[in-house]
Amino acid sequence: MPRLNNHFRQLTNALRYLARGDLPGLVNRLKWYGREYSNAKVRKRLISGSGAVWGILCTPHTLFVAQAISARLASHGIGSEIITGQLKRFDHDFYIVLCAQMFKQLPPGNRRVIFQLEQSVSSRWFTDKYIRDLEESFAVLEYSLTNIEFLAKKGVRYPHVHYLPIGAYVDEGAPGIQAEKKYDFVFYGDSLSSERRRSFLQELQSRYTVRICKDVFGEEMHGIIREAKAVINIHYYEGALLETPRLCECISLGVPVLSEGTADQGEYPELDGAVKFFEQGSIEAMMSAADEMMRNIRSFDSTLPAAAATSADRFAFMFDRFLVALGVLPANAILEKPIYVAEGSSFFALSLPETIDRRRAITRIRPDGCVIFDGIRNTRGWVGCASSFNALSRYALDKHLDKLTVIEDDVILPPDFDKVFEEVIDYLDNRESRWDIFSGLMADIHPSARVLSVEDVAGRTYVTMDKMTSTVFNIYGKRALELLSIWNPLDTDAVTNTIDRYLERQKDLRIVVTLPFIAGHKEEMTSTLWGFENGRYTPMIAEAERKIEALVQEWRRKKR
């Protein structure tokens, strides 16, 4: 029956495209279904426990990243082999290729994922051939939001792209290796062909012992890094992105980093306590930061381990997110372990980093105290969405929060949101009767929905109902959090188990909504769940508000 319901929903959506004359939209949707059918065959071969062995093809300077990937695959019982040279035959079941442009021959497109590690600030690597290689791959991994934005303009975009920021790799089974400190700083990378790097390093060498390494890799390089008090990171390009592979490799070895700053360093809050930044392009700022770092180098003994562990946790969560999105792991696998959040909060914005326009939009309007959560993905978009709410509810219960606010990245907030939000929270905290969910807007009203009470407080009408349909802006109380935490990710019936329908069919819920609604829904955005424009929701939301107003009038009439 669930499969029949899904087919019926797909047919209904197709007819809607035709009804509004959106033939290009229908064609794109049919292509998407075609790709999904083809990809499903590959996923069946890769399901965890199938015995599939992955090949990880890398260059020597990306060996650290390959090792982190291999370790994470092993944690799920998936075998892998790291290869640092060109293969003549591709006999593994599947491949992850790092720095694909460095290899003359690549595995077949339907058996490879390319991990894109180049910086979009330099266009020399992004040739037409390289873009085709990305497009023809089963999927693309990308470590930088800036690069995701760049690739989207090249036509390589969601759902083909998966965000995977590099993280530390902490091998808990390996003994800690201590080394005598021989150098104040170590630099490794290409300094000979970069005049800006040479200028920085020459000045640093005038005051400190600095070892410069080129074409040294693997354990030999790790041994040298351990002999340094710190590693110095200087950009090859002006305006470069943060070199997270190098930074994470160093902090994994227990060595802090002094790094030139970048515009995107704020994307990696987990590095705080392990990396000290100085102003980009300023040798004077580097020297001042180096002086301070050397004076207080012992302080990293207490802060670096926690930063490295958090970085490793983020990588683990995001890599598992990728495996679930591919269908290699079941939907419940990522929900059985702690999630990664950038900082503790009771207010989250749910957003897929791969839908970069939406991510940039919510970042611009994000209220104070609101933390962005990288939404969980699934081949069924609505399962990924519901999984995100399930994960956040488990987080809230684990942190003993009495309420949790979640907005989606296509929400419209009023200009005076902080004031409105404070008033709503004050009302919820002080109302005498129970509430389970506060909804900022509703997209639909169930035919059997009833108004249970109406209150006018401080010029705003609060309506309590027994059913709801919308997750664009909600505040969840303890009982709702408990219900969300037991939602079943393995129930794939889209008619009854989407997160809003799941909540709608719960018994004895108390839903509070205001008239008029305090939030809106951006029409220009495209639904990441169903693939149609949000403009379709606008008349539904207006109709829902009208229906609630009619129900309120009827309730008031009966109470006279």
Side-chain angles (χ1 to χ4, degrees):
M1 183 61 72
R3 180 176 294 181
L4 180 62
N5 287 336
N6 286 337
H7 288 328
F8 178 75
R9 177 175 53 79
Q10 292 167 7
L11 176 61
T12 302
N13 283 339
L15 292 175
R16 284 172 177 156
Y17 278 106
L18 291 175
R20 63 177 181 266
D22 185 7
L23 188 58
L26 176 60
V27 171
N28 288 334
R29 197 61 178 167
L30 291 174
K31 287 181 179 178
W32 182 86
Y33 280 121
R35 287 196 303 270
E36 281 301 296
Y37 178 76
S38 176
N39 291 346
K41 295 180 180 179
V42 178
R43 292 187 185 104
K44 286 183 179 179
R45 297 203 311 267
L46 299 179
I47 292 174
S48 178
S50 66
V53 177
W54 295 39
I56 305 173
L57 198 57
C58 69
T59 57
H61 72 284
T62 58
L63 181 60
F64 161 76
V65 180
Q67 290 169 337
I69 291 172
S70 179
R72 197 62 203 160
L73 288 171
S75 73
H76 296 294
I78 301 172
S80 65
E81 180 184 4
I82 297 174
I83 307 105
T84 56
Q86 180 69 59
L87 285 175
K88 294 182 179 179
R89 295 174 51 186
F90 299 103
D91 296 328
H92 299 81
D93 295 283
F94 201 67
Y95 290 87
I96 295 181
V97 184
L98 285 65
C99 295
Q101 75 282 0
M102 304 302 291
F103 296 93
K104 292 182 179 179
Q105 188 175 358
L106 295 174
N110 67 346
R111 289 170 50 213
R112 73 170 185 246
V113 169
I114 289 180
F115 198 163
Q116 201 300 113
L117 293 171
E118 297 306 325
Q119 296 203 18
S120 56
V121 296
S122 173
S123 60
R124 63 175 178 152
W125 297 115
F126 292 91
T127 62
D128 291 343
K129 179 185 181 303
Y130 185 47
I131 294 297
R132 281 197 307 274
D133 287 340
L134 296 175
E135 290 174 336
E136 293 170 2
S137 297
F138 186 78
V140 173
L141 287 167
E142 174 55 66
Y143 77 100
S144 162
L145 293 179
T146 301
N147 285 347
I148 286 177
E149 192 167 19
F150 172 84
L151 289 174
K153 294 174 182 176
K154 296 284 187 179
V156 183
R157 58 171 63 92
Y158 171 86
H160 193 56
V161 175
H162 300 257
Y163 181 47
L164 180 60
I166 306 296
Y169 165 44
V170 181
D171 187 354
E172 296 179 354
I177 301 175
Q178 301 297 323
E180 179 185 351
K181 300 300 181 182
K182 298 180 180 179
Y183 318 105
D184 293 320
F185 292 97
V186 160
F187 172 86
Y188 64 106
D190 181 8
S191 62
L192 297 179
S193 64
S194 173
E195 184 177 348
R196 76 183 308 277
R197 276 181 168 173
R198 290 199 304 273
S199 298
F200 277 86
L201 291 171
Q202 285 169 5
E203 186 66 24
L204 193 64
Q205 286 176 311
S206 70
R207 193 176 302 174
Y208 296 103
T209 56
V210 182
R211 176 163 181 179
I212 298 174
C213 300
K214 187 177 186 298
D215 295 331
V216 183
F217 308 105
E219 285 304 315
E220 182 183 0
M221 188 67 245
H222 288 179
I224 296 171
I225 291 171
R226 290 190 182 98
E227 293 174 341
K229 295 177 183 176
V231 168
I232 178 69
N233 180 55
I234 307 296
H235 307 322
Y236 189 93
Y237 310 102
E238 190 71 35
L241 304 178
L242 193 61
E243 297 87 348
T244 50
R246 179 179 295 123
L247 270 57
C248 291
E249 183 171 29
C250 295
I251 68 173
S252 297
L253 299 171
V255 178
V257 180
L258 176 62
S259 177
E260 191 175 5
T262 63
D264 67 333
Q265 69 189 56
E267 294 174 14
Y268 311 99
E270 66 275 15
L271 297 179
D272 185 38
V275 179
K276 183 176 181 61
F277 292 101
F278 61 89
E279 181 185 350
Q280 184 173 180
S282 173
I283 292 178
E284 181 181 356
M286 176 191 69
M287 296 304 293
S288 176
D291 292 344
E292 182 182 349
M293 190 174 195
M294 288 297 104
R295 284 196 306 270
N296 302 294
I297 195 67
R298 300 299 300 179
S299 66
F300 288 96
D301 293 346
S302 60
T303 60
L304 189 148
T310 302
S311 177
D313 288 345
R314 184 185 189 189
F315 179 81
F317 174 73
M318 295 302 285
F319 191 76
D320 288 359
R321 175 182 181 269
F322 162 67
L323 293 179
V324 169
L326 251 59
V328 175
L329 296 180
N332 61 324
I334 197 170
L335 302 176
E336 295 171 351
K337 300 173 183 176
I339 61 173
Y340 169 82
V341 296
E343 58 182 288
S345 181
S346 61
F347 191 170
F348 289 93
L350 179 57
S351 172
L352 297 181
E354 298 87 357
T355 55
I356 193 64
D357 289 342
R358 293 174 62 139
R359 170 56 63 91
R360 298 301 192 206
I362 192 63
T363 300
R364 286 192 294 269
I365 69 164
R366 180 170 58 95
D368 291 341
C370 178
V371 175
I372 294 178
F373 175 67
D374 292 327
I376 295 169
R377 288 178 57 177
N378 191 280
T379 53
R380 295 177 175 89
W382 65 267
V383 173
C385 174
S387 295
S388 299
F389 282 97
N390 176 276
L392 287 172
S393 68
R394 293 184 183 209
Y395 164 85
L397 292 173
D398 182 64
K399 300 299 181 183
H400 305 291
L401 302 178
D402 61 355
K403 66 174 74 70
L404 179 74
T405 303
V406 182
I407 60 176
E408 296 181 347
D409 59 8
D410 52 358
V411 69
I412 297 176
L413 300 176
D416 58 344
F417 172 76
D418 289 343
K419 176 176 178 293
V420 172
F421 186 62
E422 183 179 352
E423 291 173 354
V424 169
I425 292 295
D426 183 66
Y427 167 78
L428 295 175
D429 286 344
N430 291 288
R431 70 178 260 155
E432 295 180 359
S433 57
R434 191 192 93 216
W435 67 276
D436 299 312
I437 300 173
F438 173 84
S439 186
L441 79 159
M442 291 193 187
D444 191 20
I445 301 297
H446 194 277
S448 66
R450 296 180 300 123
V451 169
L452 304 178
S453 69
V454 180
E455 288 186 279
D456 295 303
V457 179
R460 185 171 287 111
T461 300
Y462 292 88
V463 183
T464 303
M465 306 182 67
D466 62 347
K467 292 186 182 297
M468 63 159 286
T469 305
S470 182
T471 54
V472 175
F473 179 118
N474 285 340
I475 304 172
Y476 300 95
K478 191 69 173 288
R479 183 165 179 266
L481 291 172
E482 290 170 348
L483 288 170
L484 287 171
S485 73
I486 60 173
W487 171 85
N488 180 11
L490 302 181
D491 178 353
T492 58
D493 187 346
V495 174
T496 61
N497 204 41
T498 60
I499 197 64
D500 48 358
R501 295 301 180 188
Y502 167 78
L503 289 172
E504 185 182 60
R505 60 187 171 88
Q506 301 304 315
K507 304 294 185 183
D508 194 33
L509 275 182
R510 295 293 180 266
I511 314 298
V512 179
V513 64
T514 63
L515 287 178
F517 296 156
I518 67 165
H521 202 207
K522 291 181 179 176
E523 294 186 20
E524 68 273 17
M525 298 292 188
T526 299
S527 170
T528 57
L529 274 66
W530 310 113
F532 51 68
E533 297 297 318
N534 278 352
R536 203 175 109 184
Y537 282 118
T538 303
M540 294 172 61
I541 294 169
E543 179 63 12
E545 192 170 44
R546 188 196 65 76
K547 287 181 178 179
I548 295 174
E549 288 173 345
L551 290 171
V552 167
Q553 290 176 6
E554 179 65 16
W555 185 89
R556 290 188 191 276
R557 186 185 64 78
K558 289 181 178 179
K559 291 295 180 179
R560 286 177 188 153

